[in-house]
């Protein structure tokens, strides 16, 4: 019987004084990042113990639910993401526009086909998210209503827009912020 090579990942699991493996909880819940035969959680996030309090969430992104050919055309591994809330702001990173209790961003920018808009809503409230042209006319409504605390993703179908400058406008409880983006065809 051939013994398998020891996993280098085991070093981090065993060193709980220095390392945290937030994806270990996902594995215990039966979630899998590998979608091939023998589904398992093999794509892990390892974080220094000193950063443990900054962990907000760890997610296996269900991109295979968004398009059925993902595992045959992209990868048999699902992306695993970790959101950290840090007390210190990194000065080389531009802050996302915010209103109290919410932030919004779009990627990629410029957009040619589809843009992904991420809304981080930390507190419940009335939220409106629209796409406007340079004259301020609403060309697309992404959200309009009462929203619980959550992170929500939207798609901007840029194929329906002419080349030019637009904005994602988020209003929450009467306050607003705007994120400009460019559509290039």
């Amino acid at each position: 019987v051939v013994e398998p090579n020891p996993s280098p990942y085991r070093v981090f699991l065993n060193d709980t004084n220095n390392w945290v493996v937030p994806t270990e909880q996902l594995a215990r819940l039966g979630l899998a990042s590998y979608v091939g035969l023998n589904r398992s959680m093999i794509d892990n996030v390892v974080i220094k113990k000193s950063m443990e309090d900054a962990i907000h969430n760890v997610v296996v992104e269900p991109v295979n639910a968004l398009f059925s050919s993902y595992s045959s055309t992209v990868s048999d591994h699902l992306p695993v993401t970790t959101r950290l809330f840090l007390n210190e702001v990194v000065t080389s990173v531009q802050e996302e526009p915010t209103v109290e209790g919410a932030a919004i961003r779009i990627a990629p920018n410029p957009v040619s086909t589809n843009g992904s808009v991420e809304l981080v809503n930390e507190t419940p409230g009335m939220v409106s998210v629209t796409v406007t042209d340079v004259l301020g006319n609403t060309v697309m409504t992404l959200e309009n209503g009462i929203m619980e605390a959550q992170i929500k993703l939207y798609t901007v179908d840029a194929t329906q827009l002419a080349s030019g400058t637009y904005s994602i406008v988020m209003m929450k409880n009467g306050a607003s912020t705007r994120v400009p983006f460019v559509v290039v065809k």
Side-chain angles (χ1 to χ4, degrees), residues 115-184:
S116 294
V117 175
E118 178 188 59
L119 168 63
V120 178
N121 188 39
E122 297 174 356
T123 57
M126 184 67 177
V127 175
S128 168
V129 180
T130 58
V131 176
T132 62
D133 62 18
V134 291
L135 300 174
N137 300 312
T138 298
V139 296
M140 199 177 295
T141 299
L142 303 176
E143 183 74 46
N144 191 21
I146 296 173
M147 180 182 281
E148 296 300 317
Q150 63 184 301
I151 298 171
K152 198 162 181 183
L153 298 175
Y154 308 92
T155 299
V156 173
D157 181 1
T159 63
Q160 303 298 311
L161 303 173
S163 294
T165 303
Y166 296 85
S167 292
I168 302 292
V169 178
M170 177 181 59
M171 295 187 69
K172 181 174 179 188
N173 299 331
S176 69
T177 189
R178 164 180 316 269
V179 178
F181 70 98
V182 176
V183 172
V184 178

Side-chain angles (χ1 to χ4, degrees), residues 24-44:
E24 188 176 26
Q25 177 183 350
L26 300 178
R28 277 193 228 117
L29 292 172
L31 296 175
S33 60
Y34 178 67
V35 295
L37 296 174
N38 301 321
R39 290 175 37 98
S40 60
M41 187 69 199
I42 62 172
D43 301 285
N44 290 284

Side-chain angles (χ1 to χ4, degrees), residues 4-21:
N5 290 331
S7 169
Y9 168 64
R10 178 65 46 205
V11 174
F12 297 104
L13 281 174
N14 292 342
D15 188 359
T16 57
N17 291 327
N18 293 304
W19 301 100
V20 175
V21 183

Side-chain angles (χ1 to χ4, degrees), residues 21-138:
V21 183
T23 47
E24 188 176 26
Q25 177 183 350
L26 300 178
R28 277 193 228 117
L29 292 172
L31 296 175
S33 60
Y34 178 67
V35 295
L37 296 174
N38 301 321
R39 290 175 37 98
S40 60
M41 187 69 199
I42 62 172
D43 301 285
N44 290 284
V45 174
V46 178
I47 297 175
K48 288 289 287 180
K49 179 78 169 178
S50 60
M51 299 287 293
E52 184 173 22
D53 291 340
I55 299 170
H56 175 65
N57 67 6
V58 182
V59 177
V60 176
E61 301 290 349
V63 292
N64 58 338
L66 299 175
F67 54 102
S68 60
S69 65
Y70 177 84
S71 63
S72 61
T73 60
V74 179
S75 177
D76 55 2
H77 295 257
L78 296 174
V80 177
T81 59
T82 302
R83 180 176 292 274
L84 303 173
F85 287 149
L86 304 175
N87 292 330
E88 297 178 17
V89 176
V90 180
T91 57
S92 64
V93 176
Q94 181 181 356
E95 290 186 33
E96 298 170 6
T98 62
V99 295
E100 187 174 338
I104 196 160
R105 64 182 175 170
I106 184 169
N109 191 3
V111 178
S112 59
T113 55
N114 286 325
S116 294
V117 175
E118 178 188 59
L119 168 63
V120 178
N121 188 39
E122 297 174 356
T123 57
M126 184 67 177
V127 175
S128 168
V129 180
T130 58
V131 176
T132 62
D133 62 18
V134 291
L135 300 174
N137 300 312
T138 298

